């Protein structure tokens, strides 16, 4: 981590010029932005690792749920096959799953339409860029 003290080759008693002060401030701001970017990258890597592990667990849970639904469906087909033809029993279960799928699709589509870009983050980044431009003028 770099020092935040101004880098100057002049003795302590001499006053730095405005150009030197501006150069020091600019380099310090650049260093600050670099350090913040490195910190953000490290935090993102750490959180991405956690999210990846959690996603793997969700995937495993989803597969287990799929298997439960499959075997429950087979059990329902076999149960209905005791009172009607097996083909009709299978079609009834397929129809139930088709209705469930259609309802979930419609609900998912309506929720997806509500999703928008992160307006506050975009605005904050624009403000940061304007602030940085004003410092270098």
């Amino acid at each position: 981590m770099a020092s935040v003290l101004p880098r100057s080759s002049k003795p302590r008693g001499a006053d730095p010029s405005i150009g030197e002060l501006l150069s020091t401030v600019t380099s310090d701001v650049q260093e600050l932005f670099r350090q913040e970017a490195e910190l953000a990258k490290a935090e993102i890597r750490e959180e991405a690792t956690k999210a990846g592990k959690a996603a793997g667990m969700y995937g495993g849970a989803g597969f287990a749920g799929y298997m439960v639904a499959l075997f429950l469906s087979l059990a329902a087909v076999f149960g209905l096959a005791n009172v009607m033809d097996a083909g009709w029993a299978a079609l009834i279960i397929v129809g139930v799953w088709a209705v469930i799928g259609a309802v979930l699709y419609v609900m998912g589509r309506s929720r997806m339409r509500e999703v928008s870009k992160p307006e506050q983050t975009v605005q904050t980044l624009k403000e940061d860029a304007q602030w940085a431009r004003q410092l270098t003028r």
Side-chain angles (χ1 to χ4, degrees), residues 6-83:
R7 296 169 206 98
S8 175
S9 59
K10 289 188 173 187
R12 281 190 168 245
D15 290 333
S17 69
I18 292 182
E20 289 173 333
L21 287 174
L22 183 60
S23 173
T24 301
V25 168
T26 303
S27 65
D28 287 347
V29 168
Q30 288 173 345
E31 181 65 26
L32 178 64
F33 279 131
R34 271 193 290 274
Q35 290 172 352
E36 289 293 328
E38 288 301 316
L39 177 61
K41 287 179 190 176
E43 287 177 347
I44 289 171
R45 269 192 298 272
E46 184 178 325
E47 293 304 313
T49 301
K50 289 180 190 177
K53 290 177 183 177
M57 290 178 191
Y58 276 133
F63 179 71
Y66 169 77
M67 295 303 289
V68 166
L70 174 69
F71 286 115
L72 279 176
S73 297
L74 283 174
V77 168
F78 289 138
L80 284 174
N82 287 330
V83 294

Side-chain angles (χ1 to χ4, degrees), residues 12 22 58 64 79 85 102 130-131 134 136:
R12 281 190 168 245
L22 183 60
Y58 276 133
D85 186 47
Q130 288 175 349
W131 177 78
Q134 289 175 355
T136 57

Side-chain angles (χ1 to χ4, degrees), residues 6 38 40 44 51 55 61 64 72 75-76 84 86 96 104 113 129-130 135:
E38 288 301 316
I44 289 171
L72 279 176
M84 64 177 65
V96 168
L104 289 174
R113 288 181 177 166
Q130 288 175 349
L135 282 180

